[in-house]
Amino acid sequence: MALDKEGRPQPEVPVGSAFQRAVQDAVARGVQVRRVRIVSEPVNEYVRWEHSITAEHNIAIGESVRWLSRSLASTLALPGNPFWVFDGRLVRFSVFDGNGNVVGHQFSEAPEVASLCSSAFTVAWDLATDHEDYPLD
């Protein structure tokens, strides 16, 4: 188990989770699954841990992952919460509490919301760096 700099265990990521199966199934159907992680630099210990498991837990199941320095995201029109866009029409927002725990989800099928999120993601994706090329230092 990985430890943070204070010696606390980092979260476990179970292999074969429902999320991983869903991504694998989608990729097998020809769906492109992409993720941009926007991070402050220098990165903290949690982001180092997240980076260290990305190849094994995201890329290995077919997800494409890029990293974007928060300093490059200033001019992006991004929603206030992390989101997923499904089929260009359904948006799922993840809502977190102050400690970083997911406390709920919001959904929207409004065409203008899907358009905003899709275009924001495309710009972020184009600015971001592929996982294997993203330096931590």
Side-chain angles (χ1 to χ4, degrees):
M1 174 181 300
L3 302 177
D4 68 13
K5 65 183 180 180
E6 283 84 33
R8 296 178 301 222
Q10 291 289 348
E12 297 271 338
V13 178
V15 174
S17 68
F19 171 78
Q20 288 176 324
R21 288 190 305 275
V23 170
Q24 289 171 320
D25 291 347
V27 170
R29 292 190 319 270
V31 174
Q32 200 176 38
V33 180
R34 301 182 301 166
R35 176 189 305 257
V36 174
R37 290 187 171 136
I38 300 175
V39 295
S40 298
E41 294 174 328
V43 299
N44 62 26
E45 292 301 313
Y46 180 83
V47 172
R48 286 184 183 282
W49 168 80
E50 192 173 42
H51 189 275
S52 75
I53 66 164
T54 294
E56 177 184 353
H57 290 280
N58 299 92
I59 295 171
I61 62 171
E63 202 176 347
S64 297
V65 179
R66 290 187 176 178
W67 300 79
L68 180 62
S69 171
R70 192 169 307 283
S71 66
L72 297 176
S74 296
T75 61
L76 299 181
L78 290 168
N81 290 310
F83 62 91
W84 290 86
V85 179
F86 299 94
D87 299 327
R89 62 169 190 77
L90 173 66
V91 181
R92 185 190 92 171
F93 296 97
S94 298
V95 181
F96 292 83
D97 67 13
N99 294 317
N101 300 306
V102 176
V103 294
H105 301 283
Q106 298 169 344
F107 295 88
S108 177
E109 291 187 85
E112 63 275 12
V113 173
S115 178
L116 168 75
C117 292
S118 293
S119 62
F121 180 84
T122 296
V123 174
W125 181 261
D126 290 345
L127 288 172
T129 302
D130 286 329
H131 171 74
E132 59 273 3
D133 296 327
Y134 181 74
L136 288 180
D137 296 319

